[in-house]
Amino acid sequence: MTPDRSQAAAPSSNGLSSVEAAARWRRDGPNAIQASGGHSASALLVRQFRSPLVLILVIAAVISGMVQQWLEAGIILAIVLGSTLLGFAQEYRASAAVESLQKRLALNARVRRDGEVRNIPFEQVVVGDHILLCAGAVVPADAAVLQAVDLLVSEAALTGESFPVEKRPASPGPAEPPPEQTVFLGTSVRSGTGEAIVLHTGRETRYGAIAARLNARPVETDFARGVRRFGEMLIRVMLVVVILVLIANQLLGRPFLDSLLFSVALGVGLSPELLPAVVAVTLSAGARALAREGVIVRRLEAMEDLGGMTVFCTDKTGTLTEGDIVLTGCLDPAGRASAAVQRLAFLNAAFETGIENPLDQAILKAGREAQTATTGFIKIDEIPYDFLRRRLSIVVETDTPAGERLMISKGAFEAVLDLCSTVAGNEAEAPLTPARRDALEAWYRARGEEGLRVLAVATRRLAPRPDYGMADETQMRFEGFLTFMDPPKADAAQAIADLAALGVSIKVLSGDNRHVVAHVARALGLATDALLTGADIAALKDEALWVQVERTILFAEVDPQQKERIVHALQRRGQSVGYLGDGINDAPALSAADVGVSVEEAVDVARESADVILLKRDLGVLRRGVEGGRRTFANTLKYLSITISGNFGNMVSMALATPFLPFLPLLAKQILLNNFLSSLPSMAISSDAVDAEQIQVAQRIQASDIQRYMLVFGLISSPFDLITFVLLLQVFHAPQSLFQTAWFVMSLLTELAVVMVLRTRGRAWRSRPGRWLVWTSLAVAVVAVAAPYLGPVSRLFGFTPMPPLLMAAMLGLVCAYVTVTETAKTWFFRDVRRRAARGSHARPGVQAANVS
């Protein structure tokens, strides 16, 4: 519902009452673009039936019922229903688990309710709520601005425009306020503060309208794209197989319905129909495991991106350093302790209403300890901090009769020094001569080389006016320095080495000056000779930056747009880029990176831009996240590769043998039962152990490599299948039911055995599989061997008891097949390693292991 502004503005400045807010929430629904339950039970259940071959199978079963083959129809429908319900149960459990994890990261809005300020989830914001905005906050709904103090809002999420827009209080009246007096859902506050009244929520917002037009379709990841393309290829192959086998059976004069069911079941047997469920289960299991390690995944597909990361870009403060910044000195231009500089810095930090930052917190803490106060000063205006000026100015007035106005600027040393024309002295100010400038710069450089972060403070006396702007930041007096200490983390060097061992290189992107960045890098064992500053980057064309970024480790004095540009340059060089940031200035780079990483205490816009959230600001936690991502990727790819190769081999064997056999090698219901039983252990692959070598390198899916894997290991089984056919017909003279029984047992056992062989690249007996994989495989193997001897159940599926000698022969063929597959595996993966090594030399920093 979208009432006019007169309705929305009705509540008092105390905001809505809880009773009224609850009533509006029931009337309008939750403040969400998509309805709650986007992964609802009904939607997941319907998705299980989307496969065209499954639908064909259901239709064929219905036809069987129409010709009164009730038993056949019932068995087929039961197996299809069992498979779909298994996939549904696993996906629903996985989505519920992930949803509970992501609730920990839900954004909150600050609103006035019942006359007090409360933090409530975004979904509970309703029309008429008074929302409070500050720097770093994400706007929870479309709202008219009521109050604004230097309120700058980034609307890049809506317009793509990188420069923030200043917002002004809206004029009273029923009309919809103009854009400059409105804040919109999904935008973020760059600086300043404000209060606004909600006009529209959820789908009625401007962002909701755009999302509806675009169907809110998320960006497809490399992994998802690879799986989709491979699935499309499989569907084409399956359709060809269905048509050709159906034609062949009709030419042989076999009943049409039996031929149709066999052909469709054969096609379904080729498909990894539980792939969506296995991917969901594997990813959610990985997400839960990472959550225990302190890593929350906001977007499941980011698991693959995290595992595939080859370059990790991070800020310095709080990640490589302790993040506990301490003000160590307030000094005059000569480097002497100065109470006057300390007071000026305190006034600037205390009156600031824009971006909260640890430097200001350190200044305020030191000021309170020195009992500094703002008594006697009145704030007149503020020129907010931005990442181009790199400074913040406050205009204050004394409460003396003279009412003197004073501008106090604080910021990066070069940015402040460039404003100054004079320097404070012992008794009087002096002109800022080149010699004095050189002396100040030398002092600043020396402190940076000691690892101290240095800010500068300057002042200017002004005539009374209603407001002031950036044009007034000139002809200032240099008052002195502020020095801060933030020591390197004790365990950061080891974390960097651990990431390097995983093939992930570290690059530091910092707004700090080059000397401080180099000092921290030296302490952590990083090379300091490869350094680019923001000024260097600004002078480089994109093509030149593409070349420079790979050999540069340290980037200092960079602004938000340059951070984003560095990320894009690395991606242009074929790297998979991770970026860790927690501030407003990190949002563009977080969005651009392949995997954006933030921390729990980050500003809202940084958390919303990130794919992964660290509950602890620690690179060691990130290392475990990379390992977990690679483990998840490996197990997902393991299922896909093994299932496809096994099903492909069986399909080829039956398709080749069908024209030469006096009967169908398997009934449709037997194929489906085989496929269903062999899929059960696959659900346990998510918990399987992974080879160390697969964790040591970044992996990417390549459909061509999976096809090669499918052909090699799928076709290995075909000669054994054909030998089995000859043995059954020529040696044991097996009639139809015995032939189909023996082939069912043989086929199912080989599929189970090959999982144990191909789940590892090393010798199968040297790698311990996951507990659940072992027990489910053993359970299904017992069912396979017992299937011919279960009386009425066996007869229901067309099975007959097997003579002991025939059972022994089938088990012997399974052992022979396992031996050949183990031998072929050694050759295959030796070639994979050789090709991966060539690829890593051709493209430094990228190593790929493309198949299970």
Side-chain angles (χ1 to χ4, degrees):
M1 185 175 179
T2 56
D4 64 33
R5 245 188 102 213
S6 60
Q7 290 176 301
S12 70
S13 59
N14 288 331
L16 296 173
S17 67
S18 296
V19 174
E20 177 61 20
R24 295 189 182 199
W25 194 88
R26 288 191 297 270
R27 180 192 68 190
D28 299 337
N31 176 33
I33 299 301
Q34 290 183 326
S36 179
H39 297 287
S40 64
S42 58
L44 287 176
L45 185 60
V46 169
R47 194 167 81 178
Q48 311 304 315
F49 293 92
R50 285 183 180 172
S51 167
L53 289 179
V54 170
L55 293 176
I56 292 173
L57 199 59
V58 171
I59 293 171
V62 171
I63 295 173
S64 296
M66 292 173 64
V67 296
Q68 298 186 350
Q69 293 188 14
W70 305 111
L71 183 60
E72 190 85 7
I75 291 173
I76 293 172
L77 286 176
I79 293 175
V80 170
L81 189 61
S83 296
T84 53
L85 288 179
L86 176 64
F88 161 74
Q90 294 292 344
E91 283 200 73
Y92 184 74
R93 176 176 174 270
S95 63
V98 171
E99 186 176 349
S100 68
L101 286 176
Q102 293 183 345
K103 282 182 179 178
R104 297 172 62 178
L105 303 174
L107 294 178
N108 288 329
R110 295 176 67 227
V111 304
R112 294 190 192 277
R113 290 272 177 92
D114 299 317
E116 60 183 29
V117 177
R118 298 179 183 175
N119 286 324
I120 65 171
F122 268 31
E123 284 198 351
Q124 295 180 16
V125 172
V126 298
V127 172
D129 262 328
H130 284 228
I131 55 175
L132 304 181
L133 304 171
C134 62
V138 174
V139 178
D142 288 1
V145 178
L146 298 176
Q147 300 174 20
V149 179
D150 302 308
L151 185 61
L152 296 177
V153 177
S154 172
E155 297 185 342
L158 281 178
T159 65
E161 176 57 55
S162 59
F163 291 101
V165 178
E166 184 174 5
K167 299 294 182 177
R168 301 191 304 274
S171 304
E176 193 86 11
E180 63 270 18
Q181 299 173 357
T182 309
V183 289
F184 301 100
L185 170 67
T187 60
S188 58
V189 180
R190 181 67 64 88
S191 64
T193 59
E195 182 170 343
I197 187 167
V198 174
L199 302 177
H200 308 291
T201 60
R203 298 182 184 182
E204 302 298 330
T205 61
R206 180 175 295 189
Y207 183 82
I210 294 173
R213 286 200 303 271
L214 299 177
N215 199 25
R217 190 170 185 174
V219 177
E220 190 175 41
T221 64
D222 285 341
F223 181 82
R225 189 181 303 112
V227 171
R228 175 179 56 78
R229 289 174 178 171
F230 193 68
E232 291 170 352
M233 182 273 292
L234 277 180
I235 289 177
R236 290 194 294 269
V237 171
M238 286 187 289
L239 291 175
V240 171
V241 168
V242 167
I243 294 171
L244 292 180
V245 172
L246 179 60
I247 292 173
N249 278 297
Q250 287 305 288
L251 292 176
L252 292 172
R254 291 170 182 165
F256 174 78
L257 184 59
D258 288 347
S259 299
L260 175 64
L261 290 173
F262 174 77
S263 303
V264 174
L266 197 59
V268 171
L270 173 63
S271 68
E273 74 281 0
L274 290 181
L275 179 61
V278 169
V279 169
V281 169
T282 306
L283 291 180
S284 64
R288 292 196 301 273
L290 287 184
R292 291 192 292 271
E293 297 285 352
V295 181
I296 304 295
V297 179
R298 293 185 64 245
R299 180 176 58 85
L300 271 187
E301 291 80 3
M303 293 286 296
E304 275 90 15
D305 297 327
L306 191 60
M309 184 170 62
T310 58
V311 174
F312 182 63
C313 302
T314 178
D315 195 359
K316 173 181 64 66
T317 304
T319 306
L320 303 180
T321 63
E322 293 292 345
D324 186 14
I325 297 177
V326 178
L327 178 65
T328 59
C330 300
L331 311 164
D332 67 13
R336 298 183 298 261
S338 170
V341 172
Q342 192 269 339
R343 184 176 185 81
L344 290 170
F346 183 83
L347 289 172
N348 180 284
F351 283 126
E352 178 188 357
T353 60
I355 303 170
E356 292 186 9
N357 65 82
L359 296 175
D360 281 341
Q361 295 301 319
I363 293 170
L364 293 174
K365 180 181 179 182
R368 293 188 187 104
E369 291 174 354
Q371 298 184 339
T372 307
T374 59
T375 306
F377 293 89
I378 303 168
K379 179 181 175 182
I380 301 300
D381 205 352
E382 175 177 351
I383 307 172
Y385 181 92
D386 66 60
F387 297 98
L388 296 178
R389 291 167 47 250
R390 299 172 65 206
R391 60 182 177 266
L392 165 79
S393 296
I394 299 290
V395 179
V396 296
E397 180 183 69
T398 61
D399 60 1
T400 62
E404 184 179 50
R405 299 281 175 92
L406 182 68
M407 175 181 280
I408 307 169
S409 293
K410 175 184 96 271
F413 170 76
E414 300 95 332
V416 172
L417 186 63
D418 288 343
L419 306 176
C420 298
S421 58
T422 60
V423 181
N426 289 333
E427 297 179 358
E429 62 186 66
L432 180 59
T433 63
R436 288 193 177 98
R437 185 182 186 99
D438 290 343
L440 293 173
E441 290 177 342
W443 193 95
Y444 161 74
R445 187 165 51 251
R447 300 296 81 74
E449 291 170 353
E450 293 171 4
L452 294 175
R453 183 169 183 177
V454 181
L455 298 185
V457 179
T459 62
R460 181 188 177 188
R461 301 187 186 281
L462 298 166
R465 292 205 311 269
D467 53 51
Y468 301 86
M470 286 183 281
D472 296 303
E473 295 178 320
T474 184
Q475 299 298 310
M476 302 189 78
R477 182 171 79 169
F478 188 88
E479 298 286 354
F481 305 94
L482 304 173
T483 60
F484 302 84
M485 172 60 76
D486 185 16
K489 280 187 175 179
D491 57 353
Q494 183 59 50
I496 290 172
D498 291 342
L499 285 172
L502 294 174
V504 180
S505 60
I506 296 287
K507 295 187 185 294
V508 181
L509 281 60
S510 176
D512 283 357
N513 76 74
R514 70 201 76 177
H515 309 297
V516 174
V517 173
H519 174 84
V520 172
R522 279 193 297 271
L524 298 176
L526 293 172
T528 59
D529 53 341
L531 185 148
L532 281 178
T533 66
D536 297 330
I537 294 171
L540 291 175
K541 292 184 178 180
D542 285 342
E543 292 79 3
L545 184 60
W546 298 343
V547 175
Q548 293 286 343
V549 288
E550 285 198 313
R551 54 180 178 235
T552 302
I553 296 175
L554 308 179
F555 299 85
E557 303 165 16
V558 291
D559 63 41
Q561 281 65 44
Q562 289 174 331
K563 291 182 178 182
E564 182 182 18
R565 194 176 167 209
I566 291 166
V567 169
H568 284 310
L570 287 166
Q571 291 169 329
R572 180 76 182 193
R573 298 294 291 176
Q575 302 289 357
S576 180
V577 183
Y579 183 90
L580 172 61
D582 64 352
I584 303 169
N585 58 323
D586 295 308
L590 283 168
S591 298
D594 295 285
V595 54
V597 183
S598 193
V599 292
E600 189 174 23
E601 63 271 20
V603 299
D604 287 352
V605 67
R607 287 175 53 195
E608 190 67 9
S609 300
D611 305 302
V612 175
I613 305 295
L614 304 184
L615 300 184
K616 182 180 179 183
R617 193 192 292 264
D618 183 358
L619 289 184
V621 173
L622 182 69
R623 172 187 60 79
R624 293 191 287 274
V626 172
E627 291 176 342
R630 292 181 180 180
R631 192 176 293 111
T632 299
F633 184 94
N635 280 334
T636 304
L637 203 54
K638 189 184 298 182
Y639 165 79
L640 184 62
S641 303
I642 294 174
T643 303
I644 287 293
S645 61
N647 292 349
F648 178 73
N650 286 341
M651 183 207 69
V652 169
S653 301
M654 287 191 281
L656 290 176
T658 295
F660 305 101
L661 293 176
F663 40 74
L664 294 174
L666 282 179
L667 299 177
K669 58 188 175 184
Q670 294 168 343
I671 294 176
L672 295 174
L673 179 63
N674 182 304
N675 202 42
F676 175 72
L677 291 174
S678 64
S679 295
L680 291 176
S682 299
M683 305 306 297
I685 283 181
S686 64
S687 61
D688 190 27
V690 175
D691 293 339
E693 70 172 280
Q694 290 181 276
I695 296 177
Q696 293 304 309
V697 296
Q699 303 178 69
R700 294 176 181 174
I701 189 170
Q702 296 288 345
S704 58
D705 287 333
I706 297 180
Q707 291 175 33
R708 180 169 170 266
Y709 188 99
M710 176 184 74
L711 291 172
V712 170
F713 293 105
L715 294 180
I716 285 176
S717 67
S718 293
F720 286 92
D721 296 336
L722 297 177
I723 290 172
T724 302
F725 293 161
V726 172
L727 188 67
L728 288 172
L729 291 175
Q730 301 300 322
V731 176
F732 289 94
H733 305 289
Q736 178 177 348
S737 61
L738 184 59
F739 180 100
Q740 291 169 342
T741 301
W743 170 233
F744 174 88
V745 173
M746 166 75 175
S747 173
L748 185 53
L749 289 177
T750 54
E751 287 191 62
L752 296 174
V754 81
V755 170
M756 293 301 169
V757 174
L758 296 180
R759 54 163 294 277
T760 174
R761 295 182 174 195
R763 299 297 185 187
W765 55 87
R766 292 178 182 170
S767 175
R768 179 178 297 179
R771 180 181 58 182
W772 289 110
L773 180 60
V774 170
W775 286 113
T776 53
S777 297
L778 287 176
V780 174
V782 169
V783 171
V785 173
Y789 312 105
L790 298 178
V793 176
S794 300
R795 290 191 293 275
L796 190 65
F797 285 94
F799 297 141
T800 189
M802 293 171 58
L805 185 59
L806 178 56
M807 179 65 79
M810 295 299 99
L811 293 176
L813 283 171
V814 170
C815 293
Y817 169 66
V818 167
T819 302
V820 172
T821 303
E822 179 70 34
T823 303
K825 180 182 72 176
T826 303
W827 164 82
F828 181 86
F829 285 115
R830 186 185 299 124
D831 182 63
V832 166
R833 294 185 190 97
R834 188 163 51 245
R835 290 188 299 114
R838 285 200 302 268
S840 66
H841 291 315
R843 190 169 57 180
V846 179
Q847 297 181 21
N850 296 317
V851 290
S852 124

